[in-house]
Amino acid sequence: MGYIDNTNKEIYEIRNVRFKKYISKEIINQEVQKIANRINNDYAGQKVLFIVVLKGSIFFASDLLRKIELDCEIETVRASSYGDEMINSKLRLSIENINMFNKNIIIVEDIVDTGNTLSELVKRIQSEKPKSVEIVTFLSKPEKREKPLDIKYVGIEIAPYFVIGYGLDYAEQGRNLPDIYILDEERQ
Ligand code: IMP
Ligand code: MG
C-alpha cells in the first residue's frame, strides 16, 4: 500500500515515525493477571501501599490494581523527563506528602529502560523508612540497563527498542492505544 493508514491497527504512525504492533491486548491482560496472582500470594494477609509512577503507568496500574485482593492504599508520584524525544533527559520527581513509614511499598511502573528513574525513586522512598520496597513493572528492557535494579515483578522483557501504547507515549501521543507497538526500524 502506498500510503499510511492509522486506522490499520498493525501499524501506527506519529510524526512520520512508524510503529508496528508488538504485544496484543490479550497477551497484556494475561500477563497482568499473572503478576496480580503473584502479588496476592506473596503479600497475603498484609497491607500494601502501591505507588504509581505517572503518567505512563496509569493503564497498567488500573488493570493490575483491580486484580489485587489485598488491603491496599494507592498513591501517585510524577516522574517526568524534560523534552519529548525518545531518549530520557533530565528527571523531575514529585513525591511529597506520602506517609511511607513502616509500610510495605510496591512501586508500579510501566517500563524500566535505563533504570535511572527507578533508582532515584527507590532512594527517595527508602529515606522515608518503609518496611519494604519492591518494584512491579509491566515492561523491562534489560539490555538498556545503566543502574543495577532489583525488580521483583516483571511482566514482559522486551527488545531494546522504543515502544508506545498501553500508557507509553512518543511526544505525548500513543498512550491510549490498547496494544503495545514497537519502533518499526526497517521502515524508517
Ligand atoms: P528509565 O529511567 O530509562 O528506566 O526510563 C524511565 C521512563 O522513561 C519510563 O518510565 C517511561 O516513562 C520512559 N520510557 C522508557 N522507555 C520508553 C519507551 O520505550 N517508550 C515510552 N517511554 C519510555
Ligand atoms: Mg514511567
Side-chain angles (χ1 to χ4, degrees), residues 41-60:
N41 194 51
D42 291 353
Y43 289 84
Q46 301 183 67
K47 288 184 180 169
V48 176
L49 166 59
F50 289 93
I51 298 185
V52 177
V53 184
L54 298 175
K55 295 184 262 191
S57 309
I58 58 172
F59 294 85
F60 172 49

Side-chain angles (χ1 to χ4, degrees), residues 3-183:
Y3 60 91
I4 293 153
D5 178 5
N6 271 351
T7 61
N8 172 358
K9 289 192 176 124
E10 293 303 311
I11 295 285
Y12 196 83
E13 183 176 305
I14 299 172
R15 292 189 179 176
N16 295 324
V17 179
R18 293 180 73 120
F19 296 86
K20 63 184 172 191
K21 197 186 272 188
Y22 187 50
I23 304 170
S24 70
K25 50 185 167 303
E26 292 77 18
I27 299 288
I28 292 173
N29 191 43
Q30 272 175 29
E31 294 305 318
V32 174
Q33 186 64 61
K34 283 190 209 163
I35 302 170
N37 294 346
R38 286 182 58 202
I39 295 176
N40 285 330
N41 194 51
D42 291 353
Y43 289 84
Q46 301 183 67
K47 288 184 180 169
V48 176
L49 166 59
F50 289 93
I51 298 185
V52 177
V53 184
L54 298 175
K55 295 184 262 191
S57 309
I58 58 172
F59 294 85
F60 172 49
S62 165
D63 287 348
L64 177 73
L65 295 173
R66 283 178 294 166
K67 297 182 196 309
I68 294 296
E69 294 158 3
L70 309 164
D71 282 353
C72 69
E73 294 177 273
I74 301 168
E75 293 283 357
T76 56
V77 298
R78 177 175 278 274
S80 47
S81 51
Y82 299 83
D84 57 12
E85 295 308 317
M86 290 194 217
I87 46 156
N88 295 310
S89 35
K90 278 192 176 166
L91 193 70
R92 254 185 244 133
L93 273 181
S94 69
I95 191 180
E96 297 81 30
N97 305 324
I98 304 178
N99 178 12
M100 299 184 229
F101 181 71
N102 208 24
K103 292 186 178 174
N104 292 312
I105 292 177
I106 301 181
I107 303 169
V108 183
E109 255 291 19
D110 46 2
I111 187 164
V112 183
D113 187 75
T114 62
N116 291 325
T117 309
L118 273 183
S119 65
E120 277 300 303
L121 187 57
V122 167
K123 255 191 265 166
R124 287 285 303 278
I125 289 175
Q126 262 157 357
S127 72
E128 304 286 326
K129 307 265 184 287
K131 186 173 170 193
S132 64
V133 184
E134 298 292 352
I135 297 165
V136 56
T137 184
F138 187 66
L139 298 176
S140 173
K141 297 182 203 165
E143 290 172 55
K144 295 280 297 292
R145 206 75 85 240
E146 291 171 7
K147 297 270 168 63
L149 263 186
D150 197 6
I151 307 178
K152 189 161 185 188
Y153 306 101
V154 178
I156 303 174
E157 291 192 338
I158 63 166
Y161 299 115
F162 200 80
V163 288
I164 58 166
Y166 199 53
L168 295 157
D169 72 301
Y170 171 49
E172 289 302 326
Q173 291 182 61
R175 289 192 197 276
N176 58 320
L177 297 168
D179 307 277
I180 292 169
Y181 291 72
I182 194 161
L183 193 62

